[in-house]
């Protein structure tokens, strides 16, 4: 590994890193070593002592810190509190070893970016990297060293709530997004100033939860593991990720946190990962719940032995029993030292042994940086996907609008504009869709608002509902019939209605799987009532997964998916609706018509009777509502002259495909050019199409550009279940290039 940069910007000498780590390691007691491998949640607001005099969870954690028996904390973001706890850690340790502070910096800390599935919809690695660099800068400024992100799980069942945290269904797109996020969080090397440790998760297969039910088991074939699940992880590791997090669930009957094959044979030996592994919350203790370990000592010993270096725990960690396991021989000194070594190396590379504290005054300056909000706004604009625009209703012409009705309870909800998985936000500076439109249209246009329906609620509360503001509150005296009629009257008396619908943010994310994809809480009825007025309607979606829009597609001319757009969401949405910028995002998943179709992916095999693929169900088309890669623009694009520089190649050779793309519209706009491959025959059935290249390009009106893509052996190689290995087949390959996975411009080449 090349020389790396510490927090001061000075190169970190590899020999010095190793020497410092070995010197410390040689002096640590077994209890101190176990402490370095233990990460605690810290709920400081609960105090350090309970009413009956017993220590609280915070008190137990602080006691462990003062004994040098805790190596990391999470869930603290106040700079002064981080400094206090760090001082307690340093002064409580014989050798002054500081703690790593981590936090779920999923899509921003104070400046909230669009949710990760939205970032993926930008199909723009540069935008993704810039956004996560802002998140990292804010996190590091307050004293955090580590983001438990990115989540790189491939998700093909939208009932699974955590689809919102990933990049969708495709491993090629997922790999590109994973690498961009790692570069944004961590920079070129671990220890880059103003960056944090990137921790791709959850290794591995979490996105395949049975029935889309969070935490349920995953049963995945080797072919899917190697061809679909592993590529984004591998890309994240190749980008330099310093940490990997385990998954919660059973993978093919073996709990991920106790899976030797996953963490030793695959992660360490095959992928060559040299960083440290952390369990997900209580995942080591859950080896008991799985019926895998006999007790906490056994759980800790088995997790450590397979390569889980650090345990994330709330209280009574299994790794607190490692000294017992060492004495009984269940854990070897070599295994214990190997894990401690990896954790200490991360601390040395971050410069924590030399400078463990942060400048509290500077933190406030960094968090308030207006440049961060501009990055968030740009990301929200580039992530939006225009699903439908019949009759060219969008972009709106402000000069022709005298009044606009903004309808729907999500239209003016700052908390829901941000989306889930944020904790340190500022609602006062969050721009809602309503606020953005009022600011953009000014006093010359009357912008009215009516929620129409009350906030939606869950049957079973989320584990995150305990946090203030995460559960929507029903307004006092809300009369359903009166409010619905008020929304209808407002729309009927306006020139245009902007109806904002979707899921409340607590309805998606972790512990937020659904059995339905319907619009919740009467929003469909609200939409239908507004459309019935005859006023032109623009539908704006706040979501993190596909929803059932069959009625909307038949009756609403314009549909814009803005996801959960973040701190500057309302500004971005108004800029998009009014045409200050053209939508250019594309779907990172196949959008089903109904929940009965899921999982539905574009990259399926032909199987039997392929000409009836659209008739697999007798009661409804088994085709998507919107295909993978779909997204419209305010311009239009033409593809021509698809050429290959070679028609025949050897298995290890690379060819170049080129295509001319022309903006045939009357305004500047972005297009995401996508290249798909299909192998016609070989030693296994291959998907009918696979994404193998993409590039987002801005073209002026009438401008043409020739785009080139390399198609090499890495794009044709795949894991073959019969050969039990990767293969390169001799075959005929189809190539298509276009604006989504249904691209029709194609050609072929031969691999000898």
């Amino acid at each position: 590994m090349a020389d790396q940069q510490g927090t001061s910007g000075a190169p970190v000498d590899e020999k010095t890193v190793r020497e410092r780590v070995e010197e410390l390691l040689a002096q640590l007691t077994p209890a101190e070593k176990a402490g370095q491998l233990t990460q605690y949640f810290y709920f400081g607001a609960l105090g350090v002592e309970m009413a009956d005099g017993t220590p609280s969870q915070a008190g137990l954690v602080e006691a462990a810190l003062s004994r040098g028996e805790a190596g990391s904390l999470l869930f603290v973001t106040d700079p002064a509190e981080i400094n206090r706890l760090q001082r307690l850690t340093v002064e409580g340790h014989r050798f002054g070893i500081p703690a790593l502070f981590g936090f779920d910096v999923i899509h921003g800390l104070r400046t909230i970016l669009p949710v990760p599935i939205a970032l993926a919809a930008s199909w723009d690695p540069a935008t993704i990297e810039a956004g996560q660099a802002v998140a990292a800068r804010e996190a590091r400024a307050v004293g955090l060293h580590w983001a438990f992100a990115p989540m790189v799980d491939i998700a093909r069942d939208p009932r699974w709530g955590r689809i919102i945290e990933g990049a969708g269904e495709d491993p090629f797109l997922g790999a590109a997004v994973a690498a961009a996020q790692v570069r944004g969080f961590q920079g070129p090397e671990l220890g880059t100033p103003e960056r944090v440790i990137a921790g791709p998760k959850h290794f591995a297969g979490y996105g395949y939860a049975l029935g889309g039910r969070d935490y349920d088991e995953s049963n995945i074939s080797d072919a899917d593991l190697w061809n679909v699940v592993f590529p984004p992880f591998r890309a994240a590791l190749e980008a330099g990720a310093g940490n990997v997090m385990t998954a919660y669930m059973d993978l093919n009957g073996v709990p991920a946190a106790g899976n030797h094959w996953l963490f030793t044979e695959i992660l360490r030996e095959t992928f060559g990962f040299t960083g440290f592994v952390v369990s997900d919350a209580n995942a080591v203790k859950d080896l008991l719940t799985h019926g895998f370990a006999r007790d906490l000592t056994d759980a800790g010993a088995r997790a450590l032995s397979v390569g889980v270096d650090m345990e994330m725990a709330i209280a009574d960690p299994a790794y607190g029993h490692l000294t017992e396991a060492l004495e009984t021989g269940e854990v070897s000194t070599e295994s214990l030292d190997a894990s401690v070594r990896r954790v200490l190396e991360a601390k040395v590379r971050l410069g924590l042994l030399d400078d463990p504290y942060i400048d509290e005054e500077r933190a406030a300056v960094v968090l308030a940086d207006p440049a961060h909000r501009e990055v968030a706004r740009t990301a929200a604009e580039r992530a939006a996907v225009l699903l439908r625009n019949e009759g060219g209703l969008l972009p709106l012409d402000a000069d022709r609008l005298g009044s606009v009705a903004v309808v729907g309870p999500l239209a003016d909800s700052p908390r829901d504009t941000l989306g889930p998985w944020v904790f340190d936000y500022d609602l006062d500076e969050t721009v809602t869709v309503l606020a953005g439109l009022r600011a953009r249209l000014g006093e010359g246009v009357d912008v009215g608002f009516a929620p129409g329906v009350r906030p939606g609620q869950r049957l079973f509360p989320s584990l995150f509902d305990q946090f203030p503001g995460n559960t929507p509150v029903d307004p006092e005296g809300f009369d359903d019939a009166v409010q619905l009629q008020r929304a209808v009257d407002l729309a009927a008396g306006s020139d245009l209605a902007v109806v904002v619908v979707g899921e409340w943010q607590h309805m998606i994310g972790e512990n937020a799987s659904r059995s339905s994809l319907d619009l919740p809480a009467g929003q469909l009825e609200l939409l239908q009532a507004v459309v019935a007025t005859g006023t032109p309607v623009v539908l704006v979606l706040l979501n993190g997964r596909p929803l059932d829009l069959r009625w909307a597609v038949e009756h609403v001319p314009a549909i814009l998916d803005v996801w959960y757009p973040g701190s500057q969401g309302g500004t971005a949405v108004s800029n998009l609706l009014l045409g200050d910028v053209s939508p250019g995002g594309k779907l990172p998943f196949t959008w089903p018509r109904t929940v009965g179709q899921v999982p539905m992916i574009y990259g399926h095999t032909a199987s039997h009777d392929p000409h009836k693929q659209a008739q697999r169900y007798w009661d409804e088309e088994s085709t998507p509502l919107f295909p993978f890669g779909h997204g419209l623009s305010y311009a239009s694009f033409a593809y021509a002259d698809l050429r290959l520089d070679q028609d025949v190649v050897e298995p290890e050779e690379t060819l170049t495909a080129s295509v001319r793309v022309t903006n045939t519209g009357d305004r500047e706009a972005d297009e995401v050019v996508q290249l798909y491959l299909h192998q016609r025959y070989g030693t296994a059935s291959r998907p009918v199409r696979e994404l193998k290249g993409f590039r987002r390009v801005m073209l002026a009106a009438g401008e043409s550009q020739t785009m080139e893509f390399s198609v090499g052996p890495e794009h044709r190689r795949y894991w073959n279940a019969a050969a039990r290995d990767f293969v390169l087949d001799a075959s005929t390959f189809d190539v298509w290039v276009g604006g989504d996975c249904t691209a029709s411009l194609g050609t072929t080449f031969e691999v000898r």
Side-chain angles (χ1 to χ4, degrees), residues 340-631:
V340 176
R341 185 177 291 113
R342 287 190 279 261
V343 172
L344 290 177
E345 283 182 357
K347 293 182 178 183
V348 172
R349 294 184 193 284
L350 288 172
L352 295 183
L353 269 64
D354 300 313
D355 187 12
Y357 307 112
I358 43 107
D359 183 339
E360 297 171 27
E361 293 184 0
R362 181 178 178 276
V365 175
V366 171
L367 293 179
D369 191 340
H372 293 183
R373 280 58 173 179
E374 287 300 299
V375 170
R377 176 189 56 77
T378 299
E381 291 171 352
R382 296 180 73 77
V385 179
L386 183 60
L387 296 174
R388 180 174 166 83
N389 193 24
E390 295 301 305
L393 178 58
L394 294 177
L396 303 173
D397 185 347
D399 293 335
R400 296 185 177 183
L401 293 174
S403 58
V404 174
V406 179
V407 175
L410 295 175
D412 196 34
S413 173
R415 181 64 192 88
D416 293 297
T417 302
L418 298 178
W421 273 117
V422 291
F423 304 95
D424 197 34
Y425 50 81
D426 183 353
L427 290 184
D428 290 338
E429 71 166 35
T430 301
V431 184
T432 65
V433 174
L434 175 64
L437 282 171
R438 282 178 169 167
R440 174 63 177 77
L441 292 171
E443 296 181 358
V445 179
D446 181 16
V447 180
F449 169 64
V453 296
R454 67 178 66 241
Q457 304 294 344
R458 296 171 48 133
L459 175 61
F460 301 111
S462 164
L463 61 90
F464 297 104
D465 284 350
Q466 61 186 301
F467 294 95
N470 268 10
T471 303
V473 178
D474 283 345
E476 283 190 29
F478 193 97
D479 185 300
D480 295 315
V482 169
Q483 291 298 329
L484 177 60
Q485 189 60 49
R486 179 170 173 266
V488 169
D489 292 343
L490 178 65
S494 300
D495 297 328
L496 176 83
V498 176
V499 181
V500 183
V501 301
E503 291 183 295
W504 281 259
Q505 62 81 27
H506 75 320
M507 295 180 175
I508 190 165
E510 184 170 356
N511 195 218
S513 296
R514 286 187 70 192
S515 64
S516 163
L517 299 179
D518 295 343
L519 289 171
Q523 292 178 104
L524 177 57
E525 291 76 11
L526 172 64
L527 175 63
Q528 291 170 333
V530 171
V531 169
T533 66
T535 298
V537 172
V538 175
L539 183 62
V540 175
L541 300 176
L542 264 61
N543 62 309
R545 62 175 137 218
L547 300 169
D548 190 334
L549 296 183
R550 287 174 293 174
W551 188 90
V553 165
E554 292 181 3
H555 298 91
V556 180
I559 305 175
L560 181 67
D561 193 337
V562 300
W563 315 99
Y564 298 95
S567 297
Q568 292 295 305
T571 302
V573 172
S574 63
N575 289 345
L576 288 158
L577 294 179
L578 273 299
D580 299 328
V581 61
S582 176
K586 302 279 189 174
L587 290 178
F589 49 64
T590 301
W591 195 300
R593 297 174 182 275
T594 172
V595 71
Q597 294 177 307
V598 304
M600 171 174 274
I601 57 171
Y602 83 93
H604 57 81
T605 60
S607 192
H608 176 69
D609 210 5
H611 73 282
K612 290 187 177 179
Q613 183 67 39
Q615 302 170 34
R616 299 298 195 207
Y617 302 115
W618 63 261
D619 58 333
E620 186 165 11
E621 287 186 40
S622 49
T623 57
L625 194 63
F626 302 108
F628 175 83
H630 171 76

Side-chain angles (χ1 to χ4, degrees), residues 310-329:
M310 181 181 287
E311 178 189 11
M312 183 192 298
I314 295 176
D316 192 18
Y319 279 15
H321 299 263
L322 286 179
T323 53
E324 302 167 25
L326 193 63
E327 292 170 359
T328 60

Side-chain angles (χ1 to χ4, degrees), residues 220-229 686 718-721 724:
I220 310 175
S221 70
D222 279 357
D224 263 13
L225 279 170
W226 288 102
N227 294 323
V228 179
V229 173
R686 301 299 298 135
Y718 68 95
W719 176 270
N720 185 301
R724 308 293 299 165

Side-chain angles (χ1 to χ4, degrees), residues 54 70 106 121 198 201 211 233 245 301 443 447 521 526 553 599 615 649 688 729 732:
T54 58
I106 308 302
K201 61 186 185 185
F233 283 99
M245 182 185 289
E443 296 181 358
V447 180
L526 172 64
V553 165
Q615 302 170 34
V649 295
V688 294
D729 288 333
T732 299

Side-chain angles (χ1 to χ4, degrees), residues 62-77:
E62 291 194 17
L65 290 175
S66 65
R67 296 193 304 268
E69 294 180 2
S72 179
L73 293 184
L74 74 155
F75 236 77
V76 190
T77 59

Side-chain angles (χ1 to χ4, degrees), residues 13-23 345 348-349:
D13 178 70
E14 288 298 309
K15 184 171 181 290
T16 300
V17 171
R18 289 192 294 270
E19 288 176 349
R20 293 190 73 177
V21 168
E22 294 305 323
E23 181 182 1
E345 283 182 357
V348 172
R349 294 184 193 284

